[in-house]
């Protein structure tokens, strides 16, 4: 594709969904690598950071997926979209993807994998979720999302969601990630019809914060094959 063709095409809005107990500003180091060529929006998910959870928004992955799809559509104003999700935010992105149709150019999943129910680890996670007295955000949202995402039905349903993706997906893991090991990233990515897997050497669970340059070097070429950056 020629440069002149790129300049005529609308750029894709990058919408970034953070992980559990985090907030949108976790993406700032990566945004600095992408902007101004790429337009980035990294909101606080409802109930996290400074964002209030609307009373009618249930703390479940499908409900948060609908919220993200609606907000992304409004932000893009009819233009193309690419969704990026980190960890639990990746599950939110997977639920949003089917609601965006052809407007969605692709999705990026960071530290997101699994699809295999593991009773003991998930039981420990739920115990952690019940002890959030220190958390400053919406504890009901935090607990609800954790409980919802670690239920057997939700975990078992992830491969089906991934297999139904109608757009390219990029899956990024860190070879030093102790939360979501590359083995589990590869497992879930394998269900996607059109996917690419990248493992960043030395990266942990927060590559957007700790290794933004290395992550951008993986991300930008993939984005350029999907949609044009801002001219």
């Amino acid at each position: 594709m020629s440069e002149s063709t790129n300049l005529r095409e609308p750029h894709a809005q990058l919408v970034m969904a953070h992980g559990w107990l985090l907030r949108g500003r976790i993406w700032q180091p990566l945004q600095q690598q992408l902007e101004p060529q790429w337009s980035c929006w990294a909101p606080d998910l409802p109930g996290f950071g400074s964002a209030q959870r609307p009373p009618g928004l249930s703390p479940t992955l499908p409900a948060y997926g609908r919220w993200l799809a609606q907000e992304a559509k409004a932000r893009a104003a009819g233009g193309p979209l690419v969704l990026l999700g980190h960890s639990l935010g990746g599950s939110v992105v997977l639920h949003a993807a089917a609601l965006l149709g052809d407007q969605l150019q692709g999705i990026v999943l960071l530290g997101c994998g699994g699809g295999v129910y593991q009773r003991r680890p998930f039981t420990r996670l739920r115990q952690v979720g019940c002890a959030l007295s220190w958390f400053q955000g919406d504890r009901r949202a935090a607990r609800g999302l954790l409980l919802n995402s670690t239920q057997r039905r939700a975990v078992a349903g992830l491969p089906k969601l991934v297999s139904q993706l109608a757009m390219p997906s990029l899956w990024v893991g860190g070879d030093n990630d102790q939360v979501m090991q590359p083995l589990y990233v590869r497992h879930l990515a394998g269900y996607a019809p059109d996917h690419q897997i990248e493992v960043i050497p030395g990266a942990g669970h927060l590559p957007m914060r700790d290794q933004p340059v290395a992550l951008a070097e993986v991300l930008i070429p993939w984005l350029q094959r999907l949609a044009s950056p801002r001219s």
Side-chain angles (χ1 to χ4, degrees):
M1 183 178 293
S2 68
E3 183 179 355
S4 60
T5 302
N6 279 340
L7 295 179
R8 288 198 298 269
E9 293 179 351
H11 70 277
Q13 171 80 50
L14 308 186
V15 176
M16 302 168 166
H18 62 77
W20 190 57
L21 301 186
L22 300 174
R23 59 186 308 176
R25 67 185 182 191
I26 195 73
W27 295 96
Q28 286 179 357
L30 178 62
Q31 287 179 258
Q32 291 172 2
Q33 300 297 318
L34 300 175
E35 295 175 334
Q37 288 80 16
W38 297 88
S39 177
C40 303
W41 182 52
D44 291 343
L45 295 178
F48 298 87
S50 61
Q52 298 295 315
R53 180 171 59 90
L57 180 63
S58 301
T60 66
L61 292 174
Y64 270 62
R66 288 191 294 271
W67 177 90
L68 184 64
Q70 292 168 359
E71 294 298 316
K73 281 184 178 180
R75 186 79 181 184
L81 283 162
V82 174
L83 299 184
L84 291 79
H86 169 248
S87 196
L88 183 72
S91 296
V92 174
V93 161
L94 289 173
H95 281 82
L99 306 176
L100 291 169
D102 293 339
Q103 190 174 0
L104 185 60
Q105 303 273 306
I107 64 171
V108 180
L109 294 308
L110 307 178
C112 181
V116 179
Y117 185 78
Q118 301 179 72
R119 185 178 61 84
R120 289 184 179 179
F122 289 150
T123 298
R124 288 197 295 269
L125 274 175
R126 287 191 287 268
Q127 291 170 347
V128 170
C130 291
L132 288 177
S133 58
W134 53 270
F135 182 56
Q136 299 299 311
D138 186 329
R139 294 174 191 167
R140 183 169 180 265
R143 288 175 177 139
L145 284 171
L146 180 64
L147 292 173
N148 179 258
S149 65
T150 56
Q151 295 298 321
R152 185 183 297 273
R153 178 180 296 181
V155 174
L158 283 176
K160 182 178 180 180
L161 278 178
V162 173
S163 70
Q164 294 172 342
L165 290 175
M167 71 294 299
S169 57
L170 173 65
W171 301 72
V172 182
D175 70 356
N176 197 33
D177 190 339
Q178 302 302 309
V179 177
M180 184 59 66
Q181 298 174 9
L183 169 69
Y184 298 111
V185 175
R186 291 191 179 97
H187 173 80
L188 189 57
Y191 290 94
D194 181 359
H195 69 275
Q196 178 178 330
I197 303 171
E198 298 287 345
V199 178
I200 299 177
H205 194 56
L206 298 171
M208 75 289 280
R209 184 194 68 182
D210 300 333
Q211 292 211 30
V213 174
L215 178 55
E217 289 174 349
V218 167
L219 184 57
I220 290 174
W222 185 84
L223 288 171
Q224 289 174 336
R225 290 194 293 269
L226 290 182
S228 302
R230 287 190 288 188
S231 61

